[in-house]
Amino acid sequence: MEKYLYIALFAPLVSSLFSALFTATPKKLFTGIVGSSLIFIAFISSSILLTHILGGGEPIHVEMMTWMATGDLYIPFGFVVDQVSVTMMMVVTLVSTVVHVYAIGYMDHDKGFNRFFSWLSAFVFSMMVLVMSDNYAGLFIGWEGVGLCSWGLIGFWFHKESATWAANEAFIMNRIADLGMLVGLFLVYWNTGTLQYEGAFEAFAHLDTPTLTWIGIFLFIGAMGKSAQFPLHTWLADAMEGPTPVSALIHAATMVTAGVYLVVRSNELYSLIPHVGLFIASLGAFVALFAASMALVNRDMKRVIAYSTLSQLGYMFAAAGLGAYWVALFHLMAHAFFKALLFLGAGNVMHAMHDELDPFKMGGLKKVMKWTYIMMTLASVALAGLFPLAGFFSKDTILEAAFAEHHFIIYSVLLFTAGLTAFYSFRLTALIFEGEERYKLFGIHPHEAYKFMLVAMSPLLILAIIAGAFKTTFFGMVEELLGAIEYHIHSETTVWVMTIGTQLFVILAIMYAYKKYNNSKISVPDGTSAMENSFMYKLLINQYYIPYAYDKYLVTPYKEMSELFWTHVDMKIVDASVDSIAGIVYNTGDKTSTMQNGNLSTMLKWMVAGVLVLLSLAVVFGLAVRYSDGILAILSGLGV
């Protein structure tokens, strides 16, 4: 089975390097085909490894070579395929295969076609390193790799200032969080003597609670940045400047879930510090509501879906913080399918609408985009958590966990957020596909996406529908690693009331969204004029003024301080000092250059002068040695 591990790990790297060979050449279709085929091979290998684990096979652990070995520090290039990592491998390779095939059509007319596939495959390789490593150091290598690749992909259209700005924002925000993660890794090694998962987890049981608390906090800071948790959340919505396939892969299914994976992988640590887990769950519930509220009014199609991702990440962290690690991982998997499908559907709409993102300028698209309409509607149903689609099983289990653990505030917040999720999801669907064909006012003639792009999206659609059916199988697979905890409410009547109540609440939210936005009274291009003057609308559309506060109180003062240091310290002190030294050396060299002017007479004069200086020094030195005793006596008499 080891060979399948290596194939799954390195096939994306080969894909990236192959595409990189042609980055300086015009678009070549076979670059996309070969690159996508290699990612598909990685998916097949991951599937074989999943079958091995499901069949009761032992986890596969390999050490390729030693990376660091100095003193007591030993870090190998080691990889492990167990119940958790194989789940992530399947999610990453499946969604990546779909996105690669889809991108062949989406990026068809882009001059950077080959460069795009090189970056995209490099990201997949980095993500595989992250989830397959058997130690925190290897995880951190993949962690930084996906950060670098996301920077390249968000800012892929670097000729757009907004894209480069968004890429830099994402990169810098994550570096801030990664500093906290590094501190956490240093604490792990300092207190356990290893960065290997197995050794560190065994040592955690013998550490005191304050030490474990600090380790848990600093590791979670890293997770907050990668998974865009408050207050390090602003970069995720801005990252929608990248191509839509990037959003589907990175910002829906893989990189943004890396923080959840870190907490789930470190479950033996967080199980020992439930107070930190409660903080994580509380923050997750807050972020779920916080992000959903901003999606209610936003008028950028991709940003609405991005806020939805942020909200669902809050659900995952809520589950993980409550100790329901397998539930968090199950929702991560189910969410990846229907959220990636939503992003790709949005990409179809963007192409049809000549890159228009405002849903108020659309309407009636189901007549010309029937298949995209069906896919996005079903994905929205799954996101809303309606039975029997995948989102129902994963989201309902999170609510059960919160209720069973008697965290009723968290339960109430997540339940209310479920209603908001249903509302903004079908607000978007109604504005895009229902009602009058408002796009005609702008002279747009939409069309359906290429058939092969729709076929590529179909596996995500199928899994968004049926993934919930594998809940019991999934639990049976991961229970050995994540603990055999299944939440039950004592009264069966209570369970039915909760489930039916939640479903009715979600259905009412959907009906209200359709009633409000599926009509002919929506004005173009606005449609929200009645709300624009309200305080709540302004608060939500401006993201609670958090980006404004960051810009005014952090970015602007830092910029002004940097300019001050540049003009008064760097230019007037540092540069002036260096320039003065250079000037002295230059002037000295200029004036003494006459010594080497090639004139024999001048050179003889300098030679004679040099001999006289040397002879004088020799005489002085000789006299000093000969009369050293007398000189010392005289100096002693003078009291020197």
Side-chain angles (χ1 to χ4, degrees):
M1 285 291 169
E2 287 187 14
K3 63 181 179 181
Y4 296 111
L5 183 152
Y6 290 123
I7 293 172
L9 178 63
F10 289 110
L13 177 61
V14 176
S15 174
S16 177
L17 295 175
F18 178 81
S19 300
L21 292 175
F22 304 98
T23 52
T25 62
K27 173 226 168 180
K28 293 184 180 296
L29 183 62
F30 74 89
T31 303
I33 295 174
V34 172
S36 301
S37 300
L38 287 166
I39 301 298
F40 179 69
I41 290 172
F43 166 69
I44 295 298
S45 298
S46 299
S47 301
I48 294 172
L49 293 170
L50 175 65
T51 303
H52 168 76
I53 296 296
L54 281 173
E58 290 295 318
I60 303 166
H61 185 238
V62 299
E63 290 188 6
M64 290 177 55
M65 63 187 76
T66 299
W67 178 32
M68 291 185 185
T70 175
D72 296 329
L73 177 64
Y74 174 70
I75 303 176
F77 279 115
F79 302 94
V80 63
V81 176
D82 57 18
Q83 294 87 340
V84 173
S85 62
V86 79
T87 301
M88 294 298 295
M89 289 167 63
M90 286 297 297
V91 170
V92 172
T93 54
L94 173 62
V95 177
S96 298
T97 301
V98 170
V99 169
H100 272 72
V101 176
Y102 177 91
I104 294 175
Y106 190 90
M107 303 297 290
D108 183 46
H109 302 295
D110 198 288
K111 295 180 180 179
F113 183 90
N114 299 331
R115 177 168 59 90
F116 178 81
F117 274 87
S118 181
W119 273 115
L120 202 64
S121 298
F123 171 84
V124 179
F125 170 68
S126 298
M127 194 69 200
M128 295 295 278
V129 171
L130 189 158
V131 301
M132 294 175 67
S133 290
D134 68 349
N135 61 82
Y136 282 111
L139 178 145
F140 191 72
I141 292 174
W143 193 274
E144 294 303 300
V146 296
L148 174 63
C149 293
S150 71
W151 173 82
L153 288 166
I154 295 170
F156 181 77
W157 289 317
F158 53 84
H159 55 277
K160 294 170 56 180
E161 185 178 354
S162 58
T164 56
W165 188 91
N168 290 335
E169 180 193 19
F171 192 79
I172 294 169
M173 193 76 79
N174 276 274
R175 298 294 74 69
I176 294 170
D178 290 351
L179 176 61
M181 184 176 176
L182 271 176
V183 174
L185 296 185
F186 290 147
L187 288 175
V188 170
Y189 177 72
W190 183 268
N191 290 280
T192 67
T194 182
L195 289 174
Q196 300 290 115
Y197 293 144
E198 187 175 349
F201 295 160
E202 290 177 359
F204 285 155
H206 306 290
L207 297 180
D208 58 88
T209 301
T211 301
L212 292 172
T213 299
W214 283 114
I215 293 174
I217 289 173
F218 280 112
L219 288 181
F220 181 63
I221 290 174
M224 288 171 63
K226 197 66 74 182
S227 295
Q229 295 296 283
F230 178 87
L232 303 175
H233 66 282
T234 55
W235 69 267
L236 182 57
D238 294 332
M240 296 303 104
E241 290 289 338
T244 302
V246 173
S247 303
L249 179 62
I250 295 180
H251 306 124
T254 53
M255 188 187 85
V256 292
T257 62
V260 180
Y261 170 77
L262 174 62
V263 175
V264 172
R265 174 57 78 182
S266 304
N267 67 90
E268 296 195 38
L269 165 65
Y270 288 102
S271 296
L272 298 171
I273 44 176
H275 53 291
V276 175
L278 181 58
F279 169 76
I280 293 173
S282 301
L283 180 63
F286 166 76
V287 170
L289 177 60
F290 173 73
S293 66
M294 292 186 288
L296 295 174
V297 300
N298 200 278
R299 294 184 48 182
D300 184 311
M301 176 174 55
K302 286 179 66 177
R303 282 176 178 262
V304 171
I305 304 175
Y307 285 130
S308 175
T309 299
L310 183 54
S311 181
Q312 296 308 304
L313 287 168
Y315 273 91
M316 297 174 206
F317 276 117
L322 294 174
Y325 302 105
W326 79 268
V327 181
L329 191 62
F330 184 63
H331 190 52
L332 183 159
M333 178 183 69
H335 170 265
F337 303 142
F338 54 74
K339 188 53 63 65
L341 182 61
L342 270 175
F343 267 118
L344 296 181
N348 292 350
V349 174
M350 282 182 65
H351 261 202
M353 293 293 297
H354 302 171
D355 292 331
E356 178 58 60
L357 288 166
D358 187 349
F360 283 93
K361 297 180 181 180
M362 301 177 189
L365 284 176
K366 70 177 182 180
K367 297 177 182 178
V368 292
M369 303 184 71
K370 181 179 68 174
W371 288 108
T372 298
Y373 165 68
I374 293 172
M375 289 182 175
M376 288 192 70
T377 301
L378 289 173
S380 297
V381 172
L383 174 60
L386 281 179
F387 181 84
L389 274 69
F392 164 78
F393 294 93
S394 59
K395 194 178 292 186
D396 194 62
T397 310
I398 294 174
L399 292 172
E400 285 182 17
F403 192 90
E405 290 292 307
H406 306 294
H407 293 293
F408 299 118
I409 295 177
I410 293 176
Y411 170 80
S412 301
V413 171
L414 294 178
L415 177 61
F416 182 64
T417 303
L420 297 185
T421 303
F423 176 82
Y424 69 67
S425 298
F426 283 89
R427 166 185 177 265
L428 190 65
T429 303
L431 285 171
I432 294 172
F433 296 105
E434 305 290 350
E436 291 187 348
E437 299 164 337
R438 299 182 295 276
Y439 59 83
K440 291 183 177 180
L441 298 175
F442 304 94
I444 298 174
H445 302 282
H447 55 83
E448 184 60 280
Y450 296 133
K451 288 184 179 180
F452 79 88
M453 294 170 68
L454 297 172
V455 171
M457 295 165 62
S458 58
L460 297 178
L461 175 64
I462 294 170
L463 288 168
I465 296 172
I466 69 170
F470 301 104
K471 174 183 171 182
T472 304
T473 304
F474 181 80
F475 173 63
M477 180 182 75
V478 301
E479 64 179 351
E480 181 180 349
L481 200 62
L482 299 180
I485 301 175
E486 191 166 7
Y487 292 94
H488 298 284
I489 311 300
H490 296 303
S491 171
E492 187 174 343
T493 304
T494 304
V495 175
W496 278 104
V497 170
M498 287 171 52
T499 303
I500 295 174
T502 302
Q503 292 291 288
L504 289 174
F505 182 45
V506 168
I507 291 171
L508 287 173
I510 293 172
M511 292 173 62
Y512 179 63
Y514 258 78
K515 181 181 178 181
K516 185 174 179 62
Y517 295 102
N518 179 20
N519 58 63
S520 59
K521 297 179 181 179
I522 297 174
S523 59
V524 178
D526 187 78
T528 56
S529 55
M531 298 174 56
E532 283 191 336
N533 294 322
S534 69
F535 169 76
M536 185 56 67
Y537 178 83
K538 291 180 179 179
L539 189 67
L540 296 179
I541 201 68
N542 288 290
Q543 304 173 57
Y544 294 93
Y545 294 97
I546 292 174
Y548 170 79
Y550 283 172
D551 184 67
K552 183 175 181 179
Y553 299 111
L554 292 176
V555 177
T556 300
Y558 180 80
K559 182 179 178 181
E560 292 175 351
M561 183 181 68
S562 299
E563 290 178 349
L564 182 67
F565 274 92
W566 174 55
T567 54
H568 291 83
V569 177
D570 195 37
M571 297 294 292
K572 294 182 179 179
I573 298 177
V574 178
D575 281 6
S577 300
V578 174
D579 291 343
S580 297
I581 294 171
I584 292 170
V585 173
Y586 178 82
N587 291 331
T588 302
D590 185 56
K591 292 179 180 179
T592 57
S593 62
T594 55
M595 296 171 62
Q596 299 291 333
N597 62 0
N599 187 295
L600 182 60
S601 176
T602 301
M603 295 173 68
L604 286 172
K605 289 178 182 179
W606 280 109
M607 185 175 67
V608 171
V611 170
L612 290 174
V613 170
L614 290 174
L615 288 173
S616 300
L617 290 173
V619 170
V620 171
F621 180 75
L623 292 174
V625 172
R626 184 171 183 178
Y627 298 106
S628 58
D629 292 339
I631 293 172
L632 290 173
I634 294 172
L635 292 175
S636 177
L638 294 174
V640 177

